[in-house]
Amino acid sequence: MKNKRYRLALLGLLLLIAGLAGTVAIAQAPAHLVVNTAFLNVRSGPGAGYAILTVVPGGTTLPVIARNENMTWYQVQSPAGDGYVNSNYTVRRGDFSGIPWDSPVNLPSGLTTAAAAVAPGDAHVVVNTAFLNVRQGPGVGHPVVAVVPGGTVLPVLEISLDGHWYMVETAAGNGWLRHMYTITRGNYDDVTQTGISPHIHSVSDSAILGRAPHLVVNTAYLNIRSGPGVGNGIILTVPGGSRLLVTGGAGNGNWYEIETNSGPGWVNASYTAARGDFSRVPSASSRLNGATPRAITNIARLHIRSGPGRSYSSMTIVPAGSVLEITGMSSDGIWYQVNGDFGTGWLHGSFVVTRGNVGVMGMTG
């Protein structure tokens, strides 16, 4: 009986030690992410605008190297090398307490050199998060200039068009930060808003009287682009109420070519009100016939990529039956360069039917 009680006590002690050892092992496990979606993109930088390095399947374990200030994007080790993943599609495991921030420059706590002379009435922000990235441009896709700690005071120089980003002066130079992570202080009356042009009418207001096709901007501000799609550069930005003479269309009713006193451009019709007679507005798709090289998608959904390969980021997805002008071909003949509402992109030739004189296409990639 004694031996039995002794064996039971010994067994209980061994189980307790094993349990404690397992707890310690779990607590000290290196920081890693477990993919909990079917597939997850690993990108070259901390944002959806960066190129895709590889795609990993659900359940993949990715050791963590660094994190950004809002802990949305983590730098991880992957089969294709170091890259970034969106943590919203992962489960965190291990000890993250020692994981560093992903930025190259860290400013000391307190006032920066530039902020030391900020007067109470001057426009400035106070960082109210533990750490905040200051970037080269107004968006998370831009590289980080510096990481500033909470409480840092930074003079405000400009405000982005959408009002979400402020250009500030730091000891590491000028950069942009997301204002939602700051407290604003001072007088902003003299702070300029980037990208806003004076009120732009059509080349001649008289040209849009009567039934001439024109658009009236019905949002606060609207970008005019160099081509029919958000992938094209912004020529200028016009305020609400601007009237824009229509000279052409993309063929799907989403984008229109317009004329301004700064030259031609393209606008997204979703943010405008159409006025006048559009029945005779020429369509860009009307050119896609005869010998014009063109691709017709024969798959339900096809990615248009920023370059000739699956490693390039997806610009958009087009449905079956889309007709796209072919403007070039990759050196291996597998990928076609095409134009569409998205601008210029690339698609895989296996998923389209070609029409027109494709043989005249030059190798572009």
Side-chain angles (χ1 to χ4, degrees):
M1 191 69 177
K2 280 186 177 182
N3 288 339
K4 184 176 181 180
R5 285 200 299 268
Y6 174 77
R7 286 196 299 271
L8 289 173
L10 181 60
L11 178 61
L13 179 61
L14 291 174
L15 290 173
L16 177 62
I17 293 172
L20 290 174
T23 302
V24 171
I26 292 173
Q28 295 178 346
H32 61 278
L33 301 174
V34 180
V35 178
N36 70 342
T37 185
F39 294 95
L40 181 60
N41 292 331
V42 179
R43 298 184 179 272
S44 61
Y50 288 89
I52 298 172
L53 299 176
T54 187
V55 179
V56 294
T60 301
T61 298
L62 301 168
V64 175
I65 302 171
R67 56 184 168 177
N68 68 352
E69 89 281 358
N70 59 11
M71 293 187 292
T72 300
W73 291 85
Y74 284 83
Q75 187 179 28
V76 297
Q77 296 174 349
S78 79
D82 295 347
Y84 289 81
V85 296
N86 189 325
S87 63
N88 292 327
Y89 305 104
T90 67
V91 178
R92 288 177 28 152
R93 294 287 183 265
D95 181 10
F96 280 71
S97 61
I99 298 299
W101 305 101
D102 68 349
S103 304
V105 180
N106 292 283
L107 300 183
S109 59
L111 297 180
T112 67
T113 303
V118 174
D122 291 345
H124 63 280
V125 293
V126 182
V127 177
N128 69 341
T129 185
F131 294 94
L132 182 58
N133 285 338
V134 179
R135 299 181 179 273
Q136 287 182 6
V140 294
H142 294 276
V144 174
V145 174
V147 177
V148 292
T152 303
V153 178
L154 301 166
V156 176
L157 307 178
E158 292 183 23
I159 300 175
S160 67
L161 179 61
D162 58 14
H164 297 321
W165 292 81
Y166 289 177
M167 178 192 279
V168 296
E169 185 180 356
T170 79
N174 295 344
W176 294 81
L177 54 74
R178 188 71 185 264
H179 93 281
M180 67 180 293
Y181 302 112
T182 67
I183 300 170
T184 56
R185 294 284 185 267
N187 185 355
Y188 283 72
D189 290 345
D190 295 328
V191 177
T192 59
Q193 198 163 11
T194 301
I196 298 179
S197 306
H199 195 83
I200 304 294
H201 291 283
S202 294
V203 173
S204 170
D205 278 346
S206 62
I208 59 176
L209 296 177
R211 299 297 295 165
H214 62 280
L215 302 172
V216 180
V217 177
N218 66 351
T219 184
Y221 296 96
L222 180 62
N223 290 332
I224 296 180
R225 298 182 179 272
S226 59
V230 294
N232 293 284
I234 298 173
I235 298 173
L236 55 87
T237 301
V238 296
S242 296
R243 292 179 291 171
L244 306 167
L245 180 66
V246 174
T247 57
N252 56 8
N254 294 332
W255 290 83
Y256 284 99
E257 187 176 29
I258 52 87
E259 191 71 32
T260 76
N261 57 11
S262 295
W266 291 80
V267 296
N268 189 326
S270 301
Y271 305 103
T272 66
R275 296 288 184 267
D277 182 7
F278 279 69
S279 63
R280 296 187 179 182
V281 172
S283 170
S285 63
S286 64
R287 299 181 294 105
L288 301 183
N289 53 38
T292 303
R294 57 198 185 276
I296 305 171
T297 57
N298 63 352
I299 188 174
R301 290 158 54 86
L302 180 60
H303 284 279
I304 305 295
R305 300 191 177 274
S306 59
R310 288 190 175 90
S311 61
Y312 290 89
S313 60
S314 177
M315 299 173 62
T316 188
I317 297 176
V318 296
S322 298
V323 182
L324 303 167
E325 181 184 9
I326 299 175
T327 57
M329 186 186 303
S330 62
S331 57
D332 56 13
I334 296 175
W335 293 81
Y336 292 119
Q337 185 183 55
V338 295
N339 283 337
D341 291 353
F342 45 81
T344 300
W346 293 80
L347 56 76
H348 198 287
S350 298
F351 306 110
V352 299
V353 176
T354 60
R355 294 289 184 268
N357 192 0
V358 179
V360 302
M361 289 294 97
M363 303 299 183
T364 58

